[in-house]
């Protein structure tokens, strides 16, 4: 490993500072929501700018206070139990041949209940994080414009339903139960 002298490090720092003086670019304009509408942050008054500087991003999954997920997982198991109680003989009721894709984002406040509901169902599926470049590209291909979105596919791979919340998921599974 090569060792450097203090003079060499100070010379490198001076060169870097000089190079930074010659960097020219354009100012980035940041828009954020304020009192019901979006406006450039640089046009906000001092109080609102200070409030904006104090804002922090969070995810519900990391929050200790968020605990409605257990209730939704129990509901999904109850729905599945009701479906199993019925004498399902049609292809629509065959949950083993149905697959799903769930599109979520870590900062989405509506995603955890939907993820927990689907976790309670014994179905083959996969989760796509639209917070990544690959996830957003895949969502664009499928025409997914919001998270959460759950897309169901039949055994031929044809989309059969699209849901965005737990109530819509319950309606889809109740339809399966009724049509069976």
């Amino acid at each position: 490993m090569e060792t450097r002298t203090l003079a060499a490090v100070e010379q490198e720092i001076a060169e870097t500072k000089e190079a930074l003086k010659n960097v020219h670019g354009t100012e980035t304009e940041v828009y954020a929501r304020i009192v019901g509408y979006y406006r450039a942050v640089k046009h906000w008054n001092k109080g609102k700018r200070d409030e904006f500087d104090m804002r922090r991003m969070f995810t519900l999954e990391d929050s200790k206070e968020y605990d409605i997920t257990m209730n939704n997982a129990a509901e999904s198991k109850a729905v599945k139990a009701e479906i199993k109680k019925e004498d399902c003989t049609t292809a629509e009721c065959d949950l083993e041949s149905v697959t799903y894709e769930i599109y979520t984002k870590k900062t989405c406040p509506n995603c955890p209940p939907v993820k927990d509901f689907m976790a309670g169902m014994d179905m083959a599926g996969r989760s796509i994080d639209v917070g990544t470049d690959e996830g957003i590209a895949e969502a664009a291909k499928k025409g997914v414009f919001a998270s959460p979105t759950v897309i169901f596919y039949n055994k031929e791979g044809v989309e059969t339903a699209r849901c965005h919340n737990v109530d819509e998921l319950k309606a889809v599974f109740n339809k399966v139960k009724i049509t069976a």
Side-chain angles (χ1 to χ4, degrees), residues 26-133:
T26 59
E27 183 180 341
T28 301
E29 195 164 28
V30 177
Y31 280 77
R33 186 178 160 104
I34 178 173
V35 193
Y37 58 92
Y38 288 93
R39 186 170 178 195
V41 173
K42 72 179 183 180
H43 297 299
W44 289 6
N45 66 36
K46 181 181 178 353
K48 290 294 180 186
R49 257 196 318 265
D50 289 343
E51 177 188 324
F52 179 76
D53 291 338
M54 290 188 290
R55 292 181 185 177
R56 299 288 176 248
M57 292 294 292
F58 70 96
T59 63
L60 288 176
E61 293 153 343
D62 295 336
S63 173
K64 301 287 186 217
E65 297 174 16
Y66 184 75
D67 195 23
I68 67 167
T69 57
M70 298 303 271
N71 192 19
N72 289 317
E75 288 175 10
S76 66
K77 288 179 182 170
V79 168
K80 179 144 177 102
E82 286 180 32
I83 292 171
K84 289 291 189 184
K85 286 179 190 174
E86 300 293 324
D87 184 21
C88 295
T89 57
T90 65
E92 284 183 324
C93 194
D94 182 17
L95 293 180
E96 284 73 33
S97 66
V98 175
T99 60
Y100 72 91
E101 293 177 338
I102 182 169
Y103 294 84
T104 60
K105 189 173 184 177
K106 284 187 176 187
T107 57
C108 168
N110 301 320
C111 291
V114 173
K115 285 168 47 176
D116 291 336
F117 186 91
M118 291 308 297
M121 305 306 269
D122 291 329
M123 298 173 62
R126 65 187 188 113
S127 181
I128 295 111
D129 182 7
V130 295
T132 64
D133 291 339

Side-chain angles (χ1 to χ4, degrees), residues 154-167:
N154 64 14
K155 62 183 173 188
E156 287 84 26
V158 176
E159 181 179 331
T160 57
R162 198 174 274 223
C163 301
H164 300 93
N165 58 44
V166 173
D167 291 334

